Amino acid sequence: MEEHRMILKDVFGESSDSEDDEQLKQQIQSEDPNGDGQSQLILEKSPSWERVSEINGLWICRDLLSPQQQSSLLSSIKDEGWFTEVSHNQAMRFGNLPAWAIELAKLIREVVHYIDHDSEFVDITTCCDDKDASFFPSNLFWREPLFDQLIVNVYQPGEIIAMTVLASDYVQGICAHVDLMRFEDGIAIVSLESSCVMHFTAVESEDGIIGKQSGIDPGLAKIPVHLTPGSLVLMRGEARYLWKHEINRQPGCQTWEGRDIDQKRRTSITLRKLCPNE
């Protein structure tokens, strides 16, 4: 995987989305991680996991959060005061995360624990090939903290958020990108409010599909993944390094099972872990 990372740096450079060095060096937040009282984020029912068969390391947990938990989480985000201006649609935090983000990370660790250790919920020996047999490797699962970087994006219908400086024609949503190499493996994305379709495309280099070194079919088209409110996406390994992901909200691009998705406001929460010395 280290070889893949070096190739990606040659293709994308040090940065592969719109977060530049100034943003990444912003002052570490000093919020009290225990100042918001007891969290309402608890595992209310058995997690329902789905593996995207075409992409090693891409998993979806449906209904991670109940409607009540989603509402509570949105209220916590609103209380931060990050989006009081219409022009403000993204907030980034490093280091000491807000209490609700820490609790969300704990919940993610709990649902990962279910799939890795309880065959009642999923038999990973029947749904994973050899290279994907470990759902979330122990070196990722037990790292402390599990995540120390947070991005909250609020997408309004028709709004453009460019996630890569390489794209010339920005789409409504997020442009195809691989997350920065300065973040470790294992990235979590929680979707709130409007549902959407996220498309995955194999990364290309000058020599063609990087993924062919790992057996990825270079003829694969975009792989659509339906993200519903309250769902969790986990990307690790090939899914994190060898596949670009994007959300194109232009008319005709947001369809699922032959029907157009009603485009309303969507909020996403991305949790990542900075590499050492970053």
Side-chain angles (χ1 to χ4, degrees), residues 60-222:
I60 304 171
C61 181
R62 300 293 179 187
D63 303 322
L64 171 73
L65 301 173
S66 68
Q68 294 77 16
Q69 289 173 323
Q70 294 175 52
S71 178
S72 175
L73 193 53
L74 287 167
S75 294
S76 296
I77 293 172
K78 181 179 179 181
D79 290 343
E80 297 288 351
W82 295 333
F83 306 111
T84 54
E85 300 293 333
V86 176
S87 59
H88 295 171
N89 52 26
Q90 184 182 83
M92 300 172 57
R93 292 295 180 269
F94 298 81
N96 294 328
L97 304 182
W100 56 265
I102 294 174
E103 293 301 325
L104 182 59
K106 290 179 181 177
L107 181 63
I108 292 172
R109 177 172 272 159
E110 184 176 355
V111 297
V112 169
H113 177 79
Y114 271 104
I115 193 173
D116 259 343
H117 301 286
D118 199 328
S119 59
E120 175 185 350
F121 298 103
V122 63
D123 182 359
I124 60 174
T125 63
T126 62
C127 67
C128 305
D129 57 28
D130 290 340
K131 70 178 70 175
D132 205 32
S134 178
F135 169 63
F136 211 64
S138 59
N139 65 312
L140 301 181
F141 182 78
W142 294 113
R143 67 189 180 190
E144 290 293 348
L146 183 58
F147 305 107
D148 61 7
Q149 197 268 341
L150 164 74
I151 298 179
V152 179
N153 282 316
V154 176
Y155 304 91
Q156 303 293 346
E159 185 176 41
I160 298 174
I161 296 182
M163 295 298 287
T164 170
V165 296
L166 299 179
S168 57
D169 296 320
Y170 293 143
V171 297
Q172 298 171 349
I174 58 175
C175 293
H177 71 286
V178 173
D179 281 43
L180 293 169
M181 294 299 106
R182 61 192 61 185
F183 293 105
E184 290 187 4
D185 198 3
I187 295 173
I189 302 174
V190 176
S191 288
L192 302 172
E193 299 182 285
S194 180
S195 62
C196 72
V197 176
M198 178 178 283
H199 288 92
F200 288 78
T201 311
V203 169
E204 297 182 8
S205 67
E206 293 181 357
D207 299 325
I209 302 294
I210 292 177
K212 67 183 179 183
Q213 302 171 18
S214 301
I216 296 175
D217 181 1
L220 282 177
K222 290 183 178 180

Side-chain angles (χ1 to χ4, degrees), residues 11-22:
V11 176
F12 291 107
E14 181 64 22
S15 172
S16 62
D17 61 26
S18 64
E19 305 159 5
D20 57 26
D21 287 343
E22 290 303 316

